[in-house]
Amino acid sequence: MKKKSVFALAVGIGVALAAGVVVWGTTRTSHHVDPMMLALAGMLCLAVGLIAAVLFHLMYDRPAASPLYVPTRLTEDPVAHFVLPLFEPGVIPILARPGLPVGRMLMRHARVFENPDANRDKKILLTIQKGKPSTKSGDVSLNPVVLRDLFDKLKPFDRSEHVLLVDDRFRFAGYIPWAAAMKDFTGDNAETKIRNAIINVLADPSDKKAAKALRGMGGMAEDDTISDKLTIRDAAKQTWGTPMGEKAADDEAVNGLIIYKGKDITKPVGVLTKKGLLQLVATGA
């Protein structure tokens, strides 16, 4: 007989005896004991003992219930530790718009850009905006030659991390890592690469070729976004098509996600790379 069966039998007998003692204690004070009632009481004690034995047998060695898995929100640790912030204290914001010369774009921080060697520790956040759909204010298209000159000016600031692409209403359209932008947009065929990965993307962020161009540079396309109200499980599902990070063939090219504030796509707050996401999923965040 198995150990747990012996224990169950012992528990059943003990409970039956205890019930019998209680019943005997209530009946012995009576002057007359009905044999039928005594028999029924005995059967009741046996039934109680049997139920106790069965319950003990079922519960014995049963594994403890594991705690409910609650995925971590993107604003909570440890996830928040892996998010690269876009707007850090001290970061210099530069906005590139159609029709503006490079000097105008950099005018507010001219002292920094006139002496780049002395300011290499500065971080730049470059945002490139699509022109508004209007011809009244002049040329509304981005000029790849002007953008190449802008990247040449910004190249020395190699501590920087982010280049954002936004539409005319500042809605997110794309993201390029700083190092990749400086490498591709200042070298050979820079204007062609700028047209493919910036101008064409801003013309139609939903275009698959535009998304491929961004992801090919290690960047993120229009759909590679997620609200900071969601969880690491949601982020994994959006990146791989599965909730816990198993790779999905169609989404291999996704490099990470841009996290935005609440429901406002015009307020990106940080970048969660695929590498960081893999580490978080592996640790059960």
Side-chain angles (χ1 to χ4, degrees):
M1 187 179 292
K2 292 183 179 180
K3 186 177 180 180
K4 70 176 181 179
S5 298
V6 174
F7 284 161
L9 180 60
V11 169
I13 293 173
V15 171
L17 289 174
V21 169
V22 173
V23 171
W24 174 251
T26 58
T27 58
R28 66 178 294 188
T29 58
S30 302
H31 296 291
H32 175 72
V33 178
D34 188 342
M36 182 64 70
M37 292 298 296
L38 190 61
L40 290 174
M43 293 176 64
L44 178 62
C45 293
L46 289 174
V48 170
L50 179 61
I51 292 172
V54 171
L55 289 175
F56 185 88
H57 190 275
L58 292 174
M59 296 300 295
Y60 187 84
D61 279 344
R62 184 176 180 179
S66 58
L68 181 65
Y69 168 67
V70 179
T72 312
R73 289 186 180 273
L74 299 179
T75 53
E76 300 172 342
D77 286 330
V79 179
H81 181 73
F82 285 79
V83 176
L84 304 174
L86 291 170
F87 302 94
E88 294 181 271
V91 168
I92 298 174
I94 298 298
L95 177 62
R97 290 167 133 173
L100 289 180
V102 173
R104 286 279 302 278
M105 297 178 193
L106 306 180
M107 183 171 60
R108 187 176 177 183
H109 303 279
R111 291 184 180 180
V112 172
F113 298 106
E114 287 171 359
N115 193 1
D117 291 338
N119 293 284
R120 291 192 67 168
D121 61 329
K122 301 289 186 184
K123 281 190 175 184
I124 314 297
L125 172 62
L126 175 61
T127 302
I128 303 176
Q129 185 184 20
K130 176 185 178 181
K132 294 182 179 181
S134 170
T135 57
K136 293 182 180 180
S137 57
D139 188 7
V140 295
S141 61
L142 287 160
N143 188 325
V145 176
V146 173
L147 288 178
R148 182 202 61 198
D149 292 342
L150 174 63
F151 285 112
D152 282 331
K153 285 281 190 180
L154 297 178
K155 190 173 183 179
F157 301 90
D158 50 14
R159 289 191 60 192
S160 306
E161 298 175 285
H162 313 296
V163 177
L164 283 176
L165 308 181
V166 298
D167 67 9
D168 58 296
R169 295 166 59 187
F170 278 92
R171 293 173 299 189
F172 175 79
Y175 169 85
I176 305 171
W178 184 274
M182 297 305 142
K183 177 179 177 292
D184 281 18
F185 301 152
T186 60
D188 296 336
N189 302 314
E191 290 90 344
T192 300
K193 294 175 182 178
I194 289 171
R195 185 172 297 280
N196 291 337
I198 295 180
I199 297 175
N200 290 348
V201 168
L202 290 175
D204 184 5
S206 63
D207 182 72
K208 290 185 177 180
K209 289 184 178 179
K212 185 176 181 180
L214 286 174
R215 291 171 179 163
M217 296 180 67
M220 296 156 204
E222 180 190 42
D223 291 336
D224 304 336
T225 59
I226 189 169
S227 169
D228 66 355
K229 299 296 184 184
L230 297 179
T231 68
I232 190 65
R233 187 183 181 93
D234 299 313
K237 187 174 182 180
Q238 186 161 331
T239 302
W240 289 284
T242 56
M244 295 310 294
E246 300 87 352
K247 288 185 178 180
D250 294 340
D251 296 312
E252 295 257 354
V254 176
N255 298 306
L257 299 171
I258 297 294
I259 300 173
Y260 58 88
K261 187 73 173 176
K263 297 181 180 180
D264 194 346
I265 198 67
T266 67
K267 293 182 178 179
V269 294
V271 182
L272 180 59
T273 66
K274 179 188 282 187
K275 181 180 178 180
L277 187 53
L278 278 171
Q279 289 179 274
L280 288 164
V281 170
T283 57

